[in-house]
Amino acid sequence: MGPTVSEVETPLRVMSLHALAYCHRLFYLEEVEEIRVADDRVYAGRELHASLAADEEGEQTQLELADPELGLFGKVDAIRRRDGSLLPYEHKRGRCRRGDSGPEAWPSDRLQVLAYAALIASGTSQAVVEGRIRYHADNVTVRVPFDDAARAELAAAIATARRLRESTERPPIAANERLCARCSLAPVCLPEEVRQAEDADHEPLRLFPPDRDGTSLHVLKPGATVGRSGQELVVRYTDGTPEDRNPVRELDAVLLHGYSQITTQALHLCHDHDVAVHWLTTSGRYLTSAGTSAGQVQRRLRQYRALADEATCLRLAKALVRAKIEGQHRYLLRASRGDDAAREAMLPDLILMRSALASIESAPDRDSLRGLEGSAAVGYFRGLAKLINPTVPESLHYTTRNRRPPVDRFNAILGFGYALLQTAVARAILAAGLEPSLGFFHTPRSAAHPLVLDLLELFRVPLWDMVLIGSLNRNQWDPEADFVATKAKVWLSDAGRAKAIGLFESRLDETWKHPVVGYSLSYSRTIELEARLLEKEWTGEPGLFARMRLR
Ligand code: SF4
C-alpha cells in the first residue's frame, strides 16, 4: 500500500480551510507563519460552544475527526442523525448571508461544513448528503448539500491550501476591504497601511488596536519571586510585604529588576500567553528578554534574506538616521518655541544637526551614517541641556553624555529610561515575529540585540527625552532621595526607579495621532506598528517605515 496523503504532507486543519475561503493571506498568516489571535469574537464563539455543549447533553458534540487519506483533521460542533443519515452540524454566533433565494451559508462556513461532511463519510463509511449550519443571530439553519459539485469544491480548496503552504511568498491583501474590517488578523496584516503605501491618497481605516493589551509587571524588590498560581502570576516578597496577584491575561510583560526571580512554572505561563519577560540590572541596564519565537521560520528567512543585502541595510539605515535626527531637531525647535534667547543659544547646535541631515542621502555606507548620527547627537544634547529650566537643581543638569556606568544624575535617569524603552521595543519586535539579533544599522554587541537598538532610535525622543525634560522642569526629581551616588557612578534609588517607571508607563499609555497612518493610538502600540511596518519593507509592501515624525 502506498503512503497516505498525511504520510507525505502535514494534515490540514478544517479551520484552516475556513480561513482559506475567507482570504488566502489569512490562511497563509495562520498556517504558514503560525500567527493566531484569539480576539473577542473567537472567545465569544468558544463560550457559545461551551454553553451549547452543556445544553445539548447526550448529543455527539465537539467530536475530533481525522482522515489520513483526505489529509484533514478537525473538531465538528455536532453530528446529528436526520432521516437515517448522519450530518455535521455547525453553530455560528453571527448572521447568515442573504442570497437571492433566501438565507445562505458564508463561503468559509460552507467549506468548513463540507470538510466535516467528508470526514464523517470517510470515518463511518456511510453516505452523508448534507451539512447544516445554525446562525444564532438570525435563528436560521442553512442546509449545505454534499454532492459531487461540493466534493469537487472541497478538493480544489485542499489543493490550493497545499500549494500556498509550500510558498515562501505571503499572498497579497484581499481586494474586498470589508473582509479586512472583520478579520482578527488585521492588526498583524495591516491591510489598510498596505493600501496607503500603494496609494498615498488612501485614507486608512484604523484596524490596528489603539491601546495596549495589558500592563507591565515591574518586580523591583530584591529577593522577590514571581510564581504561578493557576492563571495568575504571584509576586512573593521576603520582607513581609503582602503577595501581589496578577491575572496573566491582564499583562503584556514582566520586568525583573536586579535580583528578583521567576519560577519555571511562571515562565511557562508567560510563554503560553505571549507575555514577554525582561531582565534588567539593579542600576537599570537592560540584560535580556524571553518571548515567543517558535514557528516563524518563513518570516525569519525573509528577514535574513533582506538584511544580508548591504543595499537594503543602507536604505533602511538612512531612513532611520534621517527620522532620528529630524525628530531631535523638531523637538529642540518645538520646546524652544517662543523663547528667542534659548533659540538663539541653540542655533549652532541646530546648524550642526542640519549639516548632518543634509549629508545623509550621499552617505556611501553605514559607517559614514554612524559618523553623521554621532555628530548630530553632539548638537542635540548640547541643545537639550538648554531646555532645562534654571530653577532645576544644578546637580540634575546635563553636562556630558556618559553611560555604563552613568556618572551623574541626568545620565542615570536617561540611561534607566532608555533601558525601559529597550524592553518595550524588544517586546514589540518579538510580537511582530522578527529576529531581534539581526539588525540593519547597529552592530552586534553583548546583551543588546541590534534590531532592538535600531528600532529604539525612533522612540528615544518622544518616549523618554521629552518625558525626562518635562519631569525635570516640573521639579519632579529629588537630587538626594531619588539617587544613590558614589564617586564612580550614580544610579536611581528605589524611589527614583519607581518614579521613572511611573513616568514611562504613563507615556506608553498616552495616545497621539500618528502622522503617517493618520489615526490615534498609544505610544506602546506605535512601537509595535513601526515594527510591523519595518517587516513590510522586505515583504513587498515598503514605504511606511520610519516616516513618523513629531509634529
Ligand atoms: S486583514 Fe484582510 S488581507 Fe489581511 S488576512 Fe485579514 S482579510 Fe486578508
Side-chain angles (χ1 to χ4, degrees), residues 22-23 25-26 29 172-174 179-180 183 185-186 189 191 195:
Y22 193 81
C23 166
R25 184 162 159 124
L26 177 63
L29 291 174
I173 55 169
L179 290 176
C180 303
C183 176
L185 282 195
C189 171
R195 292 181 184 109

Side-chain angles (χ1 to χ4, degrees), residues 317-318 320-326 328 352-353 355-357 359-360 363 365-381 403 441-443 453-458 460:
K318 283 184 179 181
L320 181 78
V321 174
R322 187 178 298 109
K324 176 180 179 178
I325 301 177
E326 282 186 8
Q328 292 173 328
L352 191 57
M353 297 170 77
S355 159
L357 267 175
S359 304
I360 289 176
D365 50 39
R366 287 183 279 175
D367 275 346
S368 317
L369 279 175
R370 288 183 196 107
L372 295 173
E373 183 202 27
S375 152
V378 170
Y380 173 64
F381 278 104
R403 64 199 99 182
F441 184 50
H442 286 84
T443 46
L453 296 178
D454 289 351
L455 195 61
L456 184 102
E457 298 298 349
L458 294 179
R460 287 186 197 271

Side-chain angles (χ1 to χ4, degrees), residues 30-186:
E30 288 194 340
E31 297 307 308
V32 180
E33 303 198 20
E34 298 186 17
I35 305 167
R36 291 186 194 129
V37 176
D39 70 1
D40 290 347
R41 281 163 291 186
V42 177
Y43 282 119
R46 286 184 192 152
E47 280 161 18
L48 169 75
H49 287 143
S51 66
L52 288 168
D55 289 350
E56 297 172 12
E57 217 176 314
E59 186 181 38
Q60 290 187 295
T61 59
Q62 298 289 303
L63 286 179
E64 305 267 4
L65 303 171
D67 185 330
E69 288 293 333
L70 285 167
L72 280 180
F73 71 97
K75 191 191 280 183
V76 66
D77 282 349
I79 298 179
R80 294 187 176 178
R81 189 175 285 282
R82 290 287 180 274
D83 305 325
S85 178
L86 293 173
L87 59 86
Y89 198 96
E90 280 293 291
H91 294 281
K92 301 292 174 191
R93 290 178 68 243
R95 298 184 169 281
C96 63
R97 186 182 194 179
R98 294 286 164 186
D100 294 339
S101 51
E104 289 178 0
W106 294 100
S108 47
D109 298 340
R110 173 185 160 77
L111 195 56
Q112 185 186 3
V113 85
L114 290 178
Y116 289 133
L119 282 170
I120 295 168
S122 72
T124 61
S125 301
Q126 294 183 31
V128 176
V129 294
E130 66 172 23
R132 295 186 190 177
I133 306 168
R134 180 78 176 163
Y135 288 97
H136 286 259
D138 284 334
N139 222 7
V140 159
T141 302
V142 175
R143 300 167 74 145
V144 180
F146 187 53
D147 51 19
D148 286 347
R151 273 184 270 275
E153 180 184 336
L154 177 64
I158 292 172
T160 303
R162 295 216 171 98
R163 181 176 52 73
L164 281 175
R165 218 164 46 173
E166 294 307 311
S167 170
T168 56
E169 298 301 321
R170 214 182 251 184
I173 55 169
N176 182 351
E177 294 176 23
R178 281 182 303 172
L179 290 176
C180 303
R182 292 185 287 120
C183 176
S184 62
L185 282 195

Side-chain angles (χ1 to χ4, degrees), residues 61 103 111 135 229 294 325 349 422 465 491 517 523:
T61 59
L111 195 56
Y135 288 97
S229 172
I325 301 177
D349 312 321
Q422 208 168 328
D465 295 358
W491 66 96
V517 296
Y523 278 108

Side-chain angles (χ1 to χ4, degrees), residues 267 275-279 288-292 430:
L267 273 174
V275 174
V277 181
H278 307 283
W279 285 263
T288 190
S289 302
T292 49
L430 293 170

Side-chain angles (χ1 to χ4, degrees), residues 192-212:
E192 284 292 282
E193 290 72 7
V194 174
R195 292 181 184 109
Q196 189 193 20
E198 290 168 352
D199 171 8
D201 293 333
H202 181 81
E203 288 188 15
L205 285 174
R206 188 163 61 69
L207 301 178
F208 195 74
D211 303 316
R212 297 165 76 179

